[in-house]
Amino acid sequence: MRVVENYLDPDMAYVLGLIVARGRLLSGSGGNRIVIEFPFKNLEAVGLTRSYNQEQQLYYSLNQIRERVVEIAETDVSVEANAHIARLEIKFLRSSIFWRNVNYLLQGKTSFYNFEVPRAILEAADIDIQKEFVRGVADCAGFIRQSNNYMGGKRRVYVEIANRNWLLPIQLCYLLQQKLGVPVQCIQWGHPNTREPQRKKSHTWAREHQIRIFSEAFVSVGFHVEYKDIILREFAEEDHCIHGNIKPCNPNPKIRRLRKKPRHPDEGSKRLPELLRGQHFDATWQICLALGCQQKKEVRDTETEFDEDEVNLEGE
């Protein structure tokens, strides 16, 4: 059946963000399902003034999200949570308009391992819709913690993307910086040259990619998950008083200093995409450029270089 609708409003954009971050589209004899997982590592999320039980808080927030999904999907939506993961499941007994529209916007892809930012979001949507999409991604895959600080100073939001998905981080960075004006500090790639440059072959480098954004910068987008947003705004208010510039990432070799890294035995690993396989990288921004980042801006030769501590993040 041909999709004749391409319905996109803030509610749909938000749900798409959730799906792109950690969702799967499943079809079988029992009907169609969308399953979205909300992982968390620690039982408590700690802010400046109080701590939060993540299992309880996520369960509460997911029930609010559930009401929003039911409103637009008009189908059964269930919520469950335990000590390590919360889950939202949307069930369809038939191929509804909502199901077909999600498939159309995601170009027939079925897993967060290969989802991309929908073209309708990236190219044509207005800023309110783009922000709701990013909030959906962040509610599901974004984390704000005291330990996410930069060299003991300003705190950051980490948006964690599955290691198998090497295109989504570049697209989200572009959406944040070029469309929403939210500077991204860097993308920490799950690559052997950046995650374990001194270690032997072990595959422990193949963890999530992390888009790192200072709390002060991300507060203009924020979270819909309440406890995450409270912690974010507390950190952002305090970090505003900490000295340090917040600049957009610019993967331009002219303004970067490099620390040479030794070659790693996993540089040819099949866990890496073909675009990167067999190559050696000394910095995260080199990976960005190899994957097609278009955000490099030319600078004058007389322009002041970044301090090395601002741009070389592999030693954190």
Side-chain angles (χ1 to χ4, degrees):
M1 182 179 297
R2 185 172 66 89
V3 175
V4 294
E5 292 192 26
N6 182 11
Y7 180 68
L8 184 62
D9 67 359
D11 288 327
M12 180 58 120
Y14 178 73
V15 176
L16 281 173
L18 298 174
I19 297 170
V20 166
R22 284 290 189 279
R24 288 173 293 150
L25 276 60
L26 306 170
S27 297
S29 58
N32 302 320
R33 293 182 296 144
I34 299 174
V35 177
I36 306 167
E37 296 183 341
F38 295 71
F40 56 95
K41 298 174 184 177
N42 301 319
L43 292 179
E44 283 192 321
V46 182
L48 291 179
T49 59
R50 58 170 291 190
S51 62
Y52 302 86
N53 181 299
Q54 291 213 81
E55 180 183 347
Q56 293 176 1
Q57 291 294 323
L58 271 177
Y59 187 77
Y60 168 76
S61 293
L62 259 64
N63 275 289
Q64 292 183 315
I65 293 170
R66 176 189 175 277
E67 294 178 8
R68 192 171 182 181
V69 175
V70 168
E71 184 73 21
I72 60 171
E74 298 181 326
T75 189
D76 182 45
V77 181
S78 61
V79 172
E80 62 176 293
N82 58 41
H84 299 288
I85 197 166
R87 185 177 289 105
L88 192 75
E89 185 170 342
I90 312 169
K91 297 179 180 179
F92 307 88
L93 296 178
R94 56 185 178 83
S95 183
S96 68
I97 289 293
F98 178 86
W99 170 263
R100 284 180 280 145
N101 196 40
V102 168
N103 273 274
Y104 176 77
L105 290 165
L106 296 178
Q107 298 181 306
K109 296 178 179 178
T110 60
S111 171
F112 64 98
Y113 290 140
N114 60 8
F115 285 144
E116 299 181 37
V117 177
R119 185 175 300 174
I121 297 285
L122 201 60
E123 297 178 359
D126 62 38
I127 191 169
D128 291 333
I129 287 176
Q130 290 172 337
K131 280 189 176 183
E132 281 301 300
F133 175 80
V134 173
R135 288 185 189 112
V137 173
D139 277 357
C140 197
F143 304 91
I144 176 72
R145 296 176 285 247
Q146 175 67 41
S147 59
N148 292 3
N149 65 75
Y150 179 56
M151 302 182 70
K154 295 175 182 285
R155 276 68 62 105
R156 297 167 294 183
V157 173
Y158 287 4
V159 178
E160 298 187 349
I161 305 301
N163 183 266
R164 294 191 204 178
N165 195 329
W166 291 81
L167 292 179
L168 183 58
I170 292 290
Q171 295 170 346
L172 286 171
C173 182
Y174 179 85
L175 178 60
L176 284 161
Q177 295 202 144
Q178 301 301 320
K179 301 293 186 178
L180 300 180
V182 176
V184 171
Q185 188 199 20
C186 73
I187 300 174
Q188 178 69 314
W189 294 100
H191 187 282
N193 293 146
T194 61
R195 275 277 163 70
E196 51 177 47
Q198 305 291 342
R199 298 180 184 177
K200 297 180 180 180
K201 191 171 184 177
S202 66
H203 300 311
T204 59
W205 53 265
R207 304 195 303 274
E208 291 90 349
H209 313 299
Q210 295 174 340
I211 305 171
R212 298 179 174 183
I213 310 150
F214 283 113
S215 62
E216 293 169 81
F218 195 73
V219 78
S220 65
V221 175
F223 298 96
H224 281 311
V225 171
E226 185 177 20
Y227 78 95
K228 290 186 179 184
D229 203 58
I230 292 172
I231 294 174
L232 169 69
R233 293 179 188 280
E234 288 181 340
F235 285 169
E237 183 176 356
E238 185 170 271
D239 289 352
H240 185 69
C241 301
I242 300 175
H243 176 72
N245 293 326
I246 297 178
K247 299 178 180 180
C249 177
N250 180 8
N252 189 334
K254 193 180 292 186
I255 58 173
R256 300 283 178 156
R257 298 187 183 103
L258 284 177
R259 292 177 180 173
K260 298 295 183 181
K261 299 182 186 299
R263 290 202 168 270
H264 192 284
D266 276 351
E267 289 176 15
S269 171
K270 291 185 179 180
R271 294 170 183 254
L272 297 171
E274 290 186 14
L275 280 172
L276 305 183
R277 202 174 299 159
Q279 297 189 60
H280 174 81
F281 300 98
D282 292 305
T284 57
W285 58 265
Q286 291 179 323
I287 299 175
C288 296
L289 291 177
L291 290 169
C293 175
Q294 300 296 314
Q295 297 193 76
K296 182 176 76 172
K297 295 181 180 179
E298 296 301 325
V299 296
R300 299 185 302 274
D301 290 335
T302 56
E303 186 170 338
T304 303
E305 286 188 292
F306 289 169
D307 292 334
E308 188 168 355
D309 283 343
E310 289 182 8
V311 300
N312 196 319
L313 302 168
E314 283 71 44
E316 287 189 32

